[in-house]
Amino acid sequence: MRKKPVDPSLNPERRWFAVYTTCRHEKRVARHMEQRQIEHFLPMYRTQHRWKDGSRVIVDLPLFPGYVFVRTDLHNRIGVLAVPGVVSMIGTASRPAPLPEFEVEALRAGLDPTRAEPHPLLTVGQRVRIKTGALAGIEGIVVRKKSALRVVLTLSLLMQSIAIEVDGDDVELADTSSPLTLEVTDKDIEQLQRRPLYELNCLDSYPDCSLVPYADADVVRR
């Protein structure tokens, strides 16, 4: 008789879970867990903060705002939920979802607070704006090709798209209530219809051509 697969979330061994905390209480929750000898991990990053008086200080802030990682078994989750400031464990009420062990341990072993910072989650299909470089200000849709992050830019007038490879740090979430920056309005189309996009000199194969080139166009003559 074939055994039924065991649900990993029901495994009695100690696993890493994420607990959701009240707003800006991550450090306080971590201190309470330390006092209660509950194994926990609060990833931090270091940044410069500017106070209202203009002074600047270096502060350590939670890398995942609103969350603290805790290592426990499901039999002891009541003790975790009893910690002041803990709202819930991520998952369902009866079955919290364990985190991948290797990801948490990799963060514990290799996280450098001076070289990490929070970043908005970018998912396929999201609309973003390029922040740096020659294309700064242009908006597009996030796609992925293998492990690379790409943004698809669409020129609606030409009904053509291009994909450019970017770093996650080079883009930001865009306002979805406004049209894409590469989309054209009816006014733009009306202006374009008043004159052709390109005006070329007559070629030998078109002796009757009467189009005149723009003054600043480069014309190649044979």
Side-chain angles (χ1 to χ4, degrees), residues 95-148:
R95 189 173 300 181
L99 299 170
E101 189 82 7
F102 74 96
E103 291 185 1
V104 179
E105 293 301 336
L107 283 174
R108 295 181 75 191
L111 179 63
D112 183 350
T114 64
R115 302 184 64 181
E117 62 181 8
H119 192 281
L121 176 64
L122 297 178
T123 58
V124 173
Q126 276 189 319
R127 182 168 149 190
V128 296
R129 180 184 302 105
I130 299 177
K131 298 190 299 183
T132 60
L135 298 177
I138 291 179
E139 298 173 5
I141 305 299
V142 172
V143 297
R144 287 190 182 275
K145 184 176 182 181
K146 294 183 179 180
S147 60

Short mmCIF file of all heavy atoms in Angstrom, two decimals, residues 95-148:
data_model
loop_
_atom_site.label_atom_id
_atom_site.label_comp_id
_atom_site.label_asym_id
_atom_site.label_seq_id
_atom_site.Cartn_x
_atom_site.Cartn_y
_atom_site.Cartn_z
N ARG A 95 -2.48 25.82 10.08
CA ARG A 95 -1.33 25.25 9.40
C ARG A 95 -0.38 26.34 8.91
O ARG A 95 -0.40 26.73 7.74
CB ARG A 95 -1.81 24.39 8.22
CG ARG A 95 -0.73 23.56 7.58
CD ARG A 95 -1.32 22.62 6.55
NE ARG A 95 -2.27 21.70 7.13
CZ ARG A 95 -2.92 20.76 6.43
NH1 ARG A 95 -2.74 20.66 5.13
NH2 ARG A 95 -3.77 19.95 7.03
N PRO A 96 0.47 26.88 9.78
CA PRO A 96 1.47 27.87 9.34
C PRO A 96 2.39 27.27 8.28
O PRO A 96 2.67 26.07 8.28
CB PRO A 96 2.23 28.20 10.62
CG PRO A 96 1.30 27.82 11.72
CD PRO A 96 0.53 26.64 11.22
N ALA A 97 2.85 28.11 7.36
CA ALA A 97 3.68 27.65 6.25
C ALA A 97 5.16 27.83 6.59
O ALA A 97 5.60 28.96 6.82
CB ALA A 97 3.34 28.42 4.99
N PRO A 98 5.94 26.75 6.62
CA PRO A 98 7.37 26.88 6.92
C PRO A 98 8.12 27.55 5.78
O PRO A 98 7.74 27.43 4.60
CB PRO A 98 7.82 25.43 7.11
CG PRO A 98 6.86 24.62 6.32
CD PRO A 98 5.54 25.33 6.41
N LEU A 99 9.17 28.26 6.12
CA LEU A 99 10.03 28.90 5.13
C LEU A 99 11.08 27.91 4.64
O LEU A 99 11.45 26.99 5.36
CB LEU A 99 10.72 30.13 5.74
CG LEU A 99 9.80 31.25 6.24
CD1 LEU A 99 10.61 32.26 7.03
CD2 LEU A 99 9.09 31.92 5.08
N PRO A 100 11.59 28.11 3.41
CA PRO A 100 12.67 27.25 2.93
C PRO A 100 13.89 27.37 3.86
O PRO A 100 14.40 28.46 4.08
CB PRO A 100 12.97 27.80 1.54
CG PRO A 100 11.70 28.48 1.12
CD PRO A 100 11.13 29.04 2.38
N GLU A 101 14.33 26.24 4.38
CA GLU A 101 15.43 26.23 5.34
C GLU A 101 16.69 26.87 4.78
O GLU A 101 17.36 27.67 5.44
CB GLU A 101 15.71 24.79 5.76
CG GLU A 101 16.69 24.65 6.92
CD GLU A 101 16.03 24.83 8.27
OE1 GLU A 101 14.78 24.94 8.31
OE2 GLU A 101 16.75 24.89 9.27
N PHE A 102 17.02 26.54 3.53
CA PHE A 102 18.29 27.02 2.96
C PHE A 102 18.28 28.53 2.76
O PHE A 102 19.33 29.19 2.87
CB PHE A 102 18.58 26.32 1.63
CG PHE A 102 17.72 26.79 0.48
CD1 PHE A 102 18.17 27.77 -0.40
CD2 PHE A 102 16.47 26.24 0.27
CE1 PHE A 102 17.38 28.20 -1.45
CE2 PHE A 102 15.67 26.66 -0.77
CZ PHE A 102 16.12 27.65 -1.65
N GLU A 103 17.10 29.13 2.48
CA GLU A 103 17.05 30.58 2.28
C GLU A 103 17.30 31.33 3.59
O GLU A 103 18.05 32.31 3.62
CB GLU A 103 15.70 30.98 1.69
CG GLU A 103 15.49 30.50 0.26
CD GLU A 103 14.19 31.02 -0.33
OE1 GLU A 103 13.47 31.76 0.38
OE2 GLU A 103 13.90 30.69 -1.50
N VAL A 104 16.68 30.87 4.66
CA VAL A 104 16.87 31.53 5.95
C VAL A 104 18.31 31.36 6.43
O VAL A 104 18.94 32.31 6.90
CB VAL A 104 15.89 30.98 6.99
CG1 VAL A 104 16.10 31.67 8.35
CG2 VAL A 104 14.45 31.18 6.53
N GLU A 105 18.84 30.15 6.30
CA GLU A 105 20.21 29.91 6.75
C GLU A 105 21.21 30.69 5.91
O GLU A 105 22.24 31.15 6.42
CB GLU A 105 20.52 28.41 6.70
CG GLU A 105 19.73 27.58 7.71
CD GLU A 105 19.98 28.01 9.15
OE1 GLU A 105 21.04 28.59 9.44
OE2 GLU A 105 19.09 27.76 10.00
N ALA A 106 20.93 30.85 4.62
CA ALA A 106 21.81 31.65 3.76
C ALA A 106 21.82 33.11 4.21
O ALA A 106 22.87 33.77 4.23
CB ALA A 106 21.38 31.53 2.31
N LEU A 107 20.65 33.63 4.59
CA LEU A 107 20.57 35.00 5.09
C LEU A 107 21.33 35.14 6.40
O LEU A 107 22.06 36.11 6.62
CB LEU A 107 19.11 35.41 5.29
CG LEU A 107 18.31 35.79 4.05
CD1 LEU A 107 16.85 36.02 4.41
CD2 LEU A 107 18.90 37.04 3.40
N ARG A 108 21.18 34.17 7.29
CA ARG A 108 21.87 34.23 8.58
C ARG A 108 23.38 34.20 8.40
O ARG A 108 24.11 34.87 9.13
CB ARG A 108 21.44 33.06 9.46
CG ARG A 108 19.98 33.08 9.86
CD ARG A 108 19.64 31.91 10.75
NE ARG A 108 20.15 32.09 12.11
CZ ARG A 108 20.18 31.15 13.03
NH1 ARG A 108 19.76 29.92 12.73
NH2 ARG A 108 20.63 31.39 14.23
N ALA A 109 23.84 33.42 7.44
CA ALA A 109 25.28 33.24 7.27
C ALA A 109 25.93 34.34 6.43
O ALA A 109 27.08 34.71 6.68
CB ALA A 109 25.55 31.87 6.63
N GLY A 110 25.22 34.85 5.46
CA GLY A 110 25.88 35.74 4.50
C GLY A 110 25.34 37.15 4.39
O GLY A 110 25.85 37.93 3.57
N LEU A 111 24.34 37.51 5.18
CA LEU A 111 23.76 38.85 5.04
C LEU A 111 24.70 39.91 5.59
O LEU A 111 25.12 39.84 6.73
CB LEU A 111 22.42 38.91 5.77
CG LEU A 111 21.71 40.27 5.72
CD1 LEU A 111 21.35 40.63 4.29
CD2 LEU A 111 20.46 40.25 6.60
N ASP A 112 25.02 40.89 4.75
CA ASP A 112 25.83 42.03 5.16
C ASP A 112 24.90 43.24 5.27
O ASP A 112 24.39 43.73 4.26
CB ASP A 112 26.92 42.31 4.11
CG ASP A 112 27.84 43.45 4.52
OD1 ASP A 112 27.53 44.16 5.50
OD2 ASP A 112 28.87 43.64 3.84
N PRO A 113 24.65 43.73 6.49
CA PRO A 113 23.70 44.84 6.67
C PRO A 113 24.07 46.10 5.90
O PRO A 113 23.20 46.92 5.62
CB PRO A 113 23.75 45.10 8.18
CG PRO A 113 24.25 43.83 8.77
CD PRO A 113 25.20 43.26 7.77
N THR A 114 25.35 46.26 5.55
CA THR A 114 25.77 47.46 4.84
C THR A 114 25.58 47.34 3.33
O THR A 114 25.75 48.32 2.60
CB THR A 114 27.24 47.78 5.14
OG1 THR A 114 28.07 46.71 4.65
CG2 THR A 114 27.46 47.93 6.64
N ARG A 115 25.24 46.15 2.86
CA ARG A 115 25.13 45.95 1.41
C ARG A 115 23.75 45.41 1.02
O ARG A 115 23.59 44.86 -0.07
CB ARG A 115 26.22 44.99 0.93
CG ARG A 115 27.63 45.46 1.23
CD ARG A 115 28.67 44.54 0.65
NE ARG A 115 28.60 44.50 -0.80
CZ ARG A 115 29.40 43.73 -1.55
NH1 ARG A 115 30.27 42.92 -0.98
NH2 ARG A 115 29.30 43.75 -2.86
N ALA A 116 22.79 45.57 1.88
CA ALA A 116 21.43 45.10 1.60
C ALA A 116 20.44 46.20 1.93
O ALA A 116 20.71 47.09 2.74
CB ALA A 116 21.12 43.85 2.42
N GLU A 117 19.30 46.17 1.25
CA GLU A 117 18.23 47.11 1.54
C GLU A 117 16.93 46.54 0.98
O GLU A 117 16.95 45.71 0.06
CB GLU A 117 18.49 48.48 0.93
CG GLU A 117 18.60 48.49 -0.57
CD GLU A 117 18.88 49.87 -1.13
OE1 GLU A 117 19.14 50.79 -0.34
OE2 GLU A 117 18.83 50.02 -2.36
N PRO A 118 15.78 46.94 1.52
CA PRO A 118 14.51 46.45 0.98
C PRO A 118 14.33 46.91 -0.46
O PRO A 118 14.86 47.94 -0.89
CB PRO A 118 13.47 47.09 1.90
CG PRO A 118 14.21 47.47 3.13
CD PRO A 118 15.60 47.81 2.69
N HIS A 119 13.58 46.13 -1.22
CA HIS A 119 13.29 46.48 -2.61
C HIS A 119 11.87 46.06 -2.92
O HIS A 119 11.44 44.98 -2.52
CB HIS A 119 14.27 45.77 -3.56
CG HIS A 119 14.22 46.30 -4.96
ND1 HIS A 119 13.22 45.94 -5.84
CD2 HIS A 119 15.02 47.16 -5.62
CE1 HIS A 119 13.43 46.57 -6.99
NE2 HIS A 119 14.50 47.31 -6.88
N PRO A 120 11.11 46.90 -3.63
CA PRO A 120 9.75 46.50 -3.97
C PRO A 120 9.74 45.20 -4.76
O PRO A 120 10.62 44.96 -5.60
CB PRO A 120 9.25 47.67 -4.85
CG PRO A 120 10.12 48.82 -4.46
CD PRO A 120 11.46 48.25 -4.11
N LEU A 121 8.77 44.37 -4.48
CA LEU A 121 8.65 43.10 -5.18
C LEU A 121 8.30 43.36 -6.64
O LEU A 121 7.34 44.06 -6.95
CB LEU A 121 7.57 42.23 -4.53
CG LEU A 121 7.25 40.91 -5.23
CD1 LEU A 121 8.47 39.99 -5.20
CD2 LEU A 121 6.06 40.24 -4.59
N LEU A 122 9.11 42.81 -7.55
CA LEU A 122 8.85 42.93 -8.98
C LEU A 122 8.39 41.59 -9.50
O LEU A 122 9.10 40.59 -9.38
CB LEU A 122 10.12 43.38 -9.73
CG LEU A 122 10.67 44.76 -9.36
CD1 LEU A 122 11.93 45.05 -10.15
CD2 LEU A 122 9.63 45.84 -9.62
N THR A 123 7.21 41.55 -10.06
CA THR A 123 6.69 40.31 -10.61
C THR A 123 6.37 40.50 -12.08
O THR A 123 6.18 41.63 -12.56
CB THR A 123 5.41 39.87 -9.87
OG1 THR A 123 4.43 40.91 -9.97
CG2 THR A 123 5.71 39.62 -8.40
N VAL A 124 6.32 39.39 -12.79
CA VAL A 124 6.02 39.44 -14.22
C VAL A 124 4.66 40.08 -14.43
O VAL A 124 3.69 39.75 -13.77
CB VAL A 124 6.05 38.02 -14.81
CG1 VAL A 124 5.57 38.03 -16.25
CG2 VAL A 124 7.45 37.44 -14.72
N GLY A 125 4.62 41.04 -15.35
CA GLY A 125 3.37 41.73 -15.66
C GLY A 125 3.24 43.07 -14.98
O GLY A 125 2.35 43.86 -15.34
N GLN A 126 4.11 43.36 -14.01
CA GLN A 126 4.03 44.65 -13.33
C GLN A 126 4.56 45.77 -14.23
O GLN A 126 5.43 45.57 -15.06
CB GLN A 126 4.85 44.64 -12.04
CG GLN A 126 4.11 44.06 -10.85
CD GLN A 126 4.89 44.27 -9.58
OE1 GLN A 126 6.10 44.13 -9.55
NE2 GLN A 126 4.20 44.59 -8.51
N ARG A 127 4.00 46.93 -14.03
CA ARG A 127 4.43 48.11 -14.78
C ARG A 127 5.46 48.87 -13.97
O ARG A 127 5.25 49.17 -12.79
CB ARG A 127 3.22 48.99 -15.07
CG ARG A 127 3.53 50.23 -15.89
CD ARG A 127 2.23 50.83 -16.34
NE ARG A 127 2.33 52.26 -16.46
CZ ARG A 127 1.29 53.06 -16.65
NH1 ARG A 127 0.09 52.54 -16.72
NH2 ARG A 127 1.46 54.37 -16.76
N VAL A 128 6.60 49.18 -14.59
CA VAL A 128 7.69 49.84 -13.89
C VAL A 128 8.20 51.02 -14.71
O VAL A 128 7.91 51.15 -15.90
CB VAL A 128 8.86 48.86 -13.61
CG1 VAL A 128 8.43 47.76 -12.67
CG2 VAL A 128 9.40 48.28 -14.91
N ARG A 129 8.98 51.87 -14.03
CA ARG A 129 9.59 53.03 -14.66
C ARG A 129 11.10 52.93 -14.50
O ARG A 129 11.60 52.63 -13.41
CB ARG A 129 9.09 54.32 -14.02
CG ARG A 129 9.68 55.60 -14.63
CD ARG A 129 9.22 56.84 -13.89
NE ARG A 129 7.76 56.95 -13.88
CZ ARG A 129 6.99 56.69 -12.83
NH1 ARG A 129 7.54 56.29 -11.67
NH2 ARG A 129 5.69 56.81 -12.89
N ILE A 130 11.84 53.15 -15.57
CA ILE A 130 13.30 53.13 -15.52
C ILE A 130 13.78 54.40 -14.83
O ILE A 130 13.36 55.51 -15.19
CB ILE A 130 13.90 53.00 -16.93
CG1 ILE A 130 13.43 51.67 -17.55
CG2 ILE A 130 15.42 53.05 -16.89
CD1 ILE A 130 13.90 51.46 -18.96
N LYS A 131 14.67 54.26 -13.84
CA LYS A 131 15.10 55.39 -13.02
C LYS A 131 16.40 56.03 -13.50
O LYS A 131 16.61 57.21 -13.29
CB LYS A 131 15.28 54.96 -11.56
CG LYS A 131 14.02 54.46 -10.89
CD LYS A 131 14.25 54.28 -9.40
CE LYS A 131 15.34 53.24 -9.13
NZ LYS A 131 15.52 53.00 -7.68
N THR A 132 17.29 55.24 -14.09
CA THR A 132 18.63 55.75 -14.41
C THR A 132 18.96 55.50 -15.86
O THR A 132 18.32 54.70 -16.55
CB THR A 132 19.68 55.08 -13.52
OG1 THR A 132 19.65 53.66 -13.74
CG2 THR A 132 19.42 55.35 -12.05
N GLY A 133 20.00 56.18 -16.33
CA GLY A 133 20.49 55.96 -17.67
C GLY A 133 19.75 56.77 -18.72
O GLY A 133 18.90 57.61 -18.42
N ALA A 134 20.07 56.49 -19.98
CA ALA A 134 19.49 57.25 -21.09
C ALA A 134 17.99 57.03 -21.23
O ALA A 134 17.29 57.87 -21.80
CB ALA A 134 20.19 56.85 -22.39
N LEU A 135 17.47 55.92 -20.71
CA LEU A 135 16.05 55.62 -20.83
C LEU A 135 15.26 56.01 -19.59
O LEU A 135 14.11 55.60 -19.44
CB LEU A 135 15.85 54.13 -21.11
CG LEU A 135 16.45 53.60 -22.42
CD1 LEU A 135 16.23 52.10 -22.53
CD2 LEU A 135 15.84 54.32 -23.62
N ALA A 136 15.86 56.79 -18.70
CA ALA A 136 15.18 57.18 -17.47
C ALA A 136 13.86 57.85 -17.77
O ALA A 136 13.77 58.72 -18.63
CB ALA A 136 16.08 58.11 -16.65
N GLY A 137 12.80 57.44 -17.05
CA GLY A 137 11.49 58.01 -17.24
C GLY A 137 10.57 57.18 -18.11
O GLY A 137 9.35 57.34 -18.07
N ILE A 138 11.15 56.29 -18.89
CA ILE A 138 10.34 55.44 -19.77
C ILE A 138 9.75 54.30 -18.96
O ILE A 138 10.39 53.75 -18.06
CB ILE A 138 11.20 54.89 -20.93
CG1 ILE A 138 11.56 56.05 -21.87
CG2 ILE A 138 10.48 53.80 -21.69
CD1 ILE A 138 12.42 55.63 -23.03
N GLU A 139 8.52 53.95 -19.27
CA GLU A 139 7.82 52.90 -18.54
C GLU A 139 7.59 51.68 -19.42
O GLU A 139 7.53 51.78 -20.64
CB GLU A 139 6.47 53.43 -18.02
CG GLU A 139 6.63 54.58 -17.04
CD GLU A 139 5.31 55.20 -16.68
OE1 GLU A 139 4.27 54.68 -17.12
OE2 GLU A 139 5.31 56.22 -15.96
N GLY A 140 7.48 50.52 -18.76
CA GLY A 140 7.25 49.30 -19.49
C GLY A 140 6.73 48.21 -18.58
O GLY A 140 6.43 48.46 -17.41
N ILE A 141 6.64 47.01 -19.10
CA ILE A 141 6.12 45.87 -18.38
C ILE A 141 7.24 44.88 -18.08
O ILE A 141 8.07 44.59 -18.95
CB ILE A 141 5.00 45.17 -19.18
CG1 ILE A 141 3.91 46.18 -19.54
CG2 ILE A 141 4.42 44.00 -18.41
CD1 ILE A 141 3.22 46.81 -18.35
N VAL A 142 7.28 44.36 -16.86
CA VAL A 142 8.33 43.43 -16.45
C VAL A 142 8.09 42.06 -17.06
O VAL A 142 6.98 41.52 -17.00
CB VAL A 142 8.38 43.31 -14.91
CG1 VAL A 142 9.34 42.21 -14.49
CG2 VAL A 142 8.80 44.63 -14.30
N VAL A 143 9.14 41.49 -17.65
CA VAL A 143 9.15 40.09 -18.08
C VAL A 143 10.46 39.49 -17.62
O VAL A 143 11.38 40.19 -17.22
CB VAL A 143 9.01 39.96 -19.62
CG1 VAL A 143 7.69 40.51 -20.10
CG2 VAL A 143 10.16 40.65 -20.33
N ARG A 144 10.56 38.18 -17.67
CA ARG A 144 11.80 37.52 -17.29
C ARG A 144 12.23 36.57 -18.39
O ARG A 144 11.41 35.87 -18.97
CB ARG A 144 11.65 36.74 -15.98
CG ARG A 144 11.56 37.63 -14.76
CD ARG A 144 11.66 36.84 -13.47
NE ARG A 144 11.51 37.69 -12.31
CZ ARG A 144 12.50 38.37 -11.76
NH1 ARG A 144 13.72 38.27 -12.26
NH2 ARG A 144 12.30 39.13 -10.71
N LYS A 145 13.52 36.58 -18.68
CA LYS A 145 14.10 35.64 -19.61
C LYS A 145 15.20 34.92 -18.86
O LYS A 145 16.25 35.49 -18.57
CB LYS A 145 14.65 36.34 -20.84
CG LYS A 145 15.19 35.37 -21.90
CD LYS A 145 15.64 36.10 -23.15
CE LYS A 145 16.12 35.12 -24.21
NZ LYS A 145 16.58 35.81 -25.43
N LYS A 146 14.95 33.64 -18.52
CA LYS A 146 15.83 32.87 -17.64
C LYS A 146 15.92 33.61 -16.31
O LYS A 146 14.93 33.87 -15.67
CB LYS A 146 17.18 32.64 -18.31
CG LYS A 146 17.11 31.76 -19.55
CD LYS A 146 18.47 31.50 -20.14
CE LYS A 146 18.38 30.61 -21.37
NZ LYS A 146 19.69 30.34 -21.96
N SER A 147 17.13 33.99 -15.89
CA SER A 147 17.27 34.66 -14.59
C SER A 147 17.33 36.17 -14.72
O SER A 147 17.38 36.88 -13.72
CB SER A 147 18.54 34.16 -13.89
OG SER A 147 19.68 34.46 -14.67
N ALA A 148 17.33 36.69 -15.95
CA ALA A 148 17.49 38.12 -16.16
C ALA A 148 16.14 38.82 -16.06
O ALA A 148 15.09 38.26 -16.36
CB ALA A 148 18.11 38.39 -17.53
#
